Amino acid sequence: MTILHADDSTIHRAARALADGHLVAFPTETVYGLGADGLNPQAAQRIFEVKGRPADHPVILHVASVMAAKSLTLNWSAAADRLTQEFWPGPLTLILKRAANVPDIVTGGQDTVGVRMPSHPVAIQLLTEFAKVGSGVVAAPSANRFGAVSPTRAADVAASIGDRLSEHDLILDGGSCDVGVESTIVDLSGSQPRLLRPGGIARQAIERVLGQSFEANHADVPRVSGSLESHYAPNARALLVLPEEMDKIVRQELLGNPSSRIWCLMISDSASTEIQKRRHKMPADPVGYAHGLYAVLNDADRQGVEMILIESPPQTPEWEAVNDRLKRASAV
Ligand code: TXA
Ligand code: MG
């Protein structure tokens, strides 16, 4: 495994590595992806081995154009046109019926496929270069061990899966990801559009473009690994806490275990000295909060933190993606 600073020459080398069937972890605007040639089943198979991901969990195909996305799907709709015109390149994944050229391993055996055109310049350049020397289609889940917190920095990728990569696999370092939470996933394969995962683009923005609201019914949602309760979870015990309860919970924990390593992720200030010693200031706006969230969770894991107390953010629509990830991080 080699970490390379992303530039013209290393991106070119990474595109060749993909064409040769190797893995390339690369930055997107949401989180780092663990990429393989999406049309090469043996290469895509290695993603599952490295992540420890169950074989029936589908992965997203990344492409550099709407045309490439159309070639991987059937029944491209007017809604798909409107959404991609508005939000691509960017943090939106569309689920559509799969075309025959998409390998089973990518779809987890389902008849649908997830496609996304990322906006990160390194991702786009990698996809464009890979289209010259290979398929141009990159299957990529988040570049972390299955169930763990997604990486937003190259060092997080190395810490999570570095020891499982081969000498031919690469990590492209493109700095820290802007958005910080995964893409929004919209399923357009059925009769009505459905929101499968809140993410980088707010539900309301998508509803505005679609001209309709998503139905509340999630009963027949297909397999989405992100919809498992305990996902995106740090090793530490994470708890969502009201600000006024924070001090009490810190003291309780310290009573049972005086040397317990506790971090308090807080938006608000606190007069408590026990909290102040452990406080990690989080941004008060949802965009800034999302950008920094996984970094602080990954830092906590690397530093052996035992308990993460997270002040509950507001329960308003702009916070939906952050609240979704916090709920999963703290699910037991
Ligand atoms: O922002 C993102 O989407 C990042 C970056 C790397 O692009 N990728 C990402 O991939 O979050 P992953 O594998 O960690 O999460 C993708 C989610 C999973 O929950 C998967 O089950 C779902 O997308 N998914 C993929 N294909 C699907 C399909 N055909 N039907 C339903 N869900 C699908
Ligand atoms: Mg993931």
Side-chain angles (χ1 to χ4, degrees):
M1 179 270 298
T2 313
I3 303 186
L4 299 169
H5 171 76
D7 61 28
D8 287 352
S9 108
T10 57
I11 292 172
H12 183 74
R13 179 171 156 194
R16 297 223 64 102
L18 288 173
D20 289 340
H22 304 304
L23 300 183
V24 174
F26 63 100
T28 80
E29 69 280 18
T30 58
V31 300
Y32 274 73
L34 179 61
D37 181 348
L39 298 187
N40 174 345
Q42 285 78 34
Q45 173 65 39
R46 283 207 52 233
I47 293 175
F48 290 79
E49 290 162 12
V50 166
K51 279 191 64 109
R53 181 174 170 125
D56 62 352
H57 287 262
V59 293
I60 297 170
L61 293 179
H62 297 69
V63 290
S65 69
V66 171
M67 210 170 68
K70 284 183 179 173
S71 77
L72 301 167
T73 58
L74 304 176
N75 305 344
W76 189 270
S77 58
D81 269 332
R82 285 201 297 278
L83 288 177
T84 52
Q85 269 163 30
E86 186 72 22
F87 300 117
W88 277 15
L92 172 69
T93 296
L94 296 182
I95 307 291
L96 289 148
K97 293 283 184 219
R98 68 191 268 197
N101 57 340
V102 177
D104 280 339
I105 177 94
V106 163
T107 67
Q110 303 190 61
D111 64 351
T112 56
V113 64
V115 287
R116 153 162 140 79
M117 178 177 171
S119 64
H120 194 292
V122 172
I124 284 292
Q125 195 177 339
L126 177 64
L127 289 164
T128 308
E129 289 288 319
F130 183 43
K132 294 179 199 157
V133 297
S135 73
V137 178
V138 173
S142 51
N144 53 281
R145 292 182 188 205
F146 182 67
V149 176
S150 298
T152 53
R153 301 165 299 191
D156 299 332
V157 178
S160 190
I161 57 167
D163 60 345
R164 300 178 176 192
L165 295 175
S166 85
E167 56 184 318
H168 303 292
D169 300 329
L170 301 174
I171 299 175
L172 279 180
D173 185 351
S176 86
C177 304
D178 271 350
V179 177
V181 292
E182 297 82 352
S183 61
T184 304
I185 304 182
V186 175
D187 182 0
L188 294 178
S189 69
S191 57
Q192 290 297 318
R194 287 181 313 164
L195 181 70
L196 297 189
R197 178 175 74 181
I201 294 177
R203 165 201 298 265
Q204 289 74 18
I206 294 169
E207 288 178 338
R208 216 175 298 128
V209 171
L210 286 175
Q212 67 176 102
S213 316
F214 290 110
E215 286 177 43
N217 177 19
H218 283 250
D220 57 344
V221 167
R223 286 187 296 266
V224 184
S225 64
S227 66
L228 292 176
E229 273 293 298
S230 170
H231 209 71
Y232 312 102
N235 295 324
R237 197 148 46 96
L239 282 181
L240 274 170
V241 174
L242 294 171
E244 59 270 24
E245 291 175 341
M246 190 69 81
D247 186 60
K248 191 183 77 192
I249 294 174
V250 170
R251 284 171 197 280
Q252 260 170 14
E253 171 74 8
L254 290 174
L255 220 58
N257 175 9
S259 63
S260 181
R261 303 205 50 203
I262 309 170
W263 281 12
C264 303
L265 275 46
M266 295 193 71
I267 297 169
S268 47
D269 294 317
S270 170
S272 150
T273 49
E274 290 301 344
I275 290 181
Q276 281 167 7
K277 279 189 263 177
R278 302 172 170 83
R279 180 168 179 266
H280 288 253
K281 172 105 180 104
M282 298 299 288
D285 68 291
V287 171
Y289 196 108
H291 170 74
L293 175 61
Y294 288 159
V296 74
L297 294 180
N298 275 312
D299 285 347
D301 270 354
R302 288 219 278 291
Q303 296 192 29
V305 171
E306 285 146 280
M307 185 180 227
I308 307 174
L309 300 175
I310 308 166
E311 174 186 347
S312 295
Q315 298 297 311
T316 52
E318 316 83 72
W319 287 87
E320 183 179 15
V322 164
N323 282 324
D324 171 79
R325 301 311 189 273
L326 290 179
K327 210 177 98 206
R328 293 169 200 288
S330 58
V332 279

